[in-house]
Amino acid sequence: MNNPLVTIDNLTVRFDDRLVVDRVNLSLHRGDIITIIGPNGAGKTTLIKAVLGIQPATSGRIERTKGLITGYVPQHLRLESTLPLSVRRFMLLSGQPLQACEAALARTSVDHLLDASVHHLSGGEQQRVLLARALVRKPDLLVLDEPAQGVDINGQAALYELIRQLRDEFNCGVIMISHDLHLVMAATDKVICLNQHVCCSGYPADISHDPAFIETFGQSVAESLAVYHHHHNHNHDLSGSVVTQNHASPALEGTPRGCQHDHH
């Protein structure tokens, strides 16, 4: 097996006296899509910021492969509303040439927005522009915080499918946060349920049966996911239109790992 892009060993993060991330262990390889789920305040964003190196750990270790190139899609884009800024200029702020920026925008189907103002983009357009900016350096690792934020249901499915395609094209690893549990179960390879510590982790087909998952999200959510199967003969493009296809995604197999300590 290839060496991991990122290895997290017993990572703990505290804000003053508040425990935010508690002794998390994780490794991520090229080709992995790992999705972190959990309730609000579970430490999900703090964990991925630690992966990015912008949130220092209180204790534990994060090891990144040498020369790791990372692309990051934040949950929100915060820009000064009075600052004139086109998509072209926003992309060029990445430090990459215009040709590379245009190619990345084309890959996420928003190259037609090159001269649009970033302040006037819809939620879905903004997320695709942010994804393009994350891709422009051809990352080894994509880190996505709620990548389908502000996108309608058909657009969400298309966006998650695009992420899988990009994983294959770039041979990169992907770690993302999502609350879209039904869609994520079809789009990810592995799920990690975080509530400060790792409550449970495993393949999507199995995770909904784990007692720690049921405790966190409730029996009704677990049951709805248990009977949910994402098999169809079509996809949606980024505008939500149906695109037919003749193959189904392969089924995933595996066994979740349960939490190793008691819940209170």
Side-chain angles (χ1 to χ4, degrees), residues 3-257:
N3 292 328
L5 295 171
V6 176
T7 302
I8 298 174
D9 182 21
N10 214 31
L11 178 76
T12 296
V13 178
R14 289 180 177 273
F15 295 157
D16 297 323
D17 293 330
R18 183 165 64 93
L19 183 63
V20 181
V21 174
D22 182 19
R23 295 169 293 172
V24 168
N25 297 286
L26 172 67
S27 62
L28 187 143
H29 296 76
R30 289 189 183 276
D32 287 346
I33 299 181
I34 295 177
T35 301
I36 302 171
I37 62 175
N40 292 334
K44 302 183 296 296
T45 296
T46 298
L47 176 60
I48 65 169
K49 285 184 175 180
V51 170
L52 290 164
I54 58 180
Q55 172 59 56
T58 303
S59 62
R61 179 179 64 93
I62 300 179
E63 184 175 332
R64 303 170 187 85
T65 192
K66 186 176 180 180
L68 181 72
I69 298 174
T70 303
Y72 176 43
V73 176
Q75 186 174 357
H76 301 290
L77 177 62
R78 293 183 175 88
L79 296 170
E80 174 54 54
S81 60
T82 60
L83 178 68
L85 186 64
S86 68
V87 169
R88 182 197 306 269
R89 179 59 181 158
F90 176 70
M91 293 292 293
L92 288 173
L93 289 173
S94 68
Q96 301 302 303
L98 179 60
Q99 184 177 8
C101 294
E102 290 176 336
L105 289 167
R107 186 61 192 88
T108 59
S109 301
V110 285
D111 47 320
H112 62 287
L113 297 174
L114 191 65
D115 295 315
S117 167
V118 295
H119 303 298
H120 299 152
L121 301 177
S122 69
E125 290 169 343
Q126 184 180 106
Q127 291 305 98
R128 295 170 211 163
V129 168
L130 286 171
L131 182 57
R133 194 170 189 270
L135 293 174
V136 74
R137 295 177 62 231
K138 296 181 167 45
D140 305 301
L141 174 64
L142 268 175
V143 181
L144 313 172
D145 191 349
E146 294 283 1
Q149 178 99 355
V151 183
D152 67 28
I153 187 68
N154 287 338
Q156 289 174 20
L159 193 59
Y160 285 123
E161 176 58 28
L162 175 60
I163 289 166
R164 291 186 68 87
Q165 293 172 8
L166 295 170
R167 181 272 311 267
D168 295 339
E169 291 173 24
F170 287 86
N171 189 29
C172 63
V174 178
I175 184 167
M176 63 179 168
I177 294 171
S178 180
H179 287 100
D180 309 305
L181 295 182
H182 287 88
L183 288 171
V184 133
M185 291 301 183
T188 193
D189 299 323
K190 183 179 180 181
V191 177
I192 294 174
C193 181
L194 187 73
N195 197 356
Q196 279 77 53
H197 60 277
V198 176
C199 297
C200 56
S201 64
Y203 293 98
D206 301 301
I207 197 73
S208 61
H209 302 289
D210 191 279
F213 181 92
I214 296 170
E215 180 181 337
T216 301
F217 290 100
Q219 185 69 43
S220 61
V221 171
E223 288 175 353
S224 71
L225 292 176
V227 300
Y228 177 80
H229 300 285
H230 193 73
H231 297 301
H232 51 55
N233 64 357
H234 69 273
N235 277 331
H236 297 273
D237 63 22
L238 287 173
S239 66
S241 301
V242 171
V243 180
T244 58
Q245 64 175 24
N246 296 317
H247 63 277
S249 300
L252 290 167
E253 299 176 354
T255 304
R257 294 198 306 272

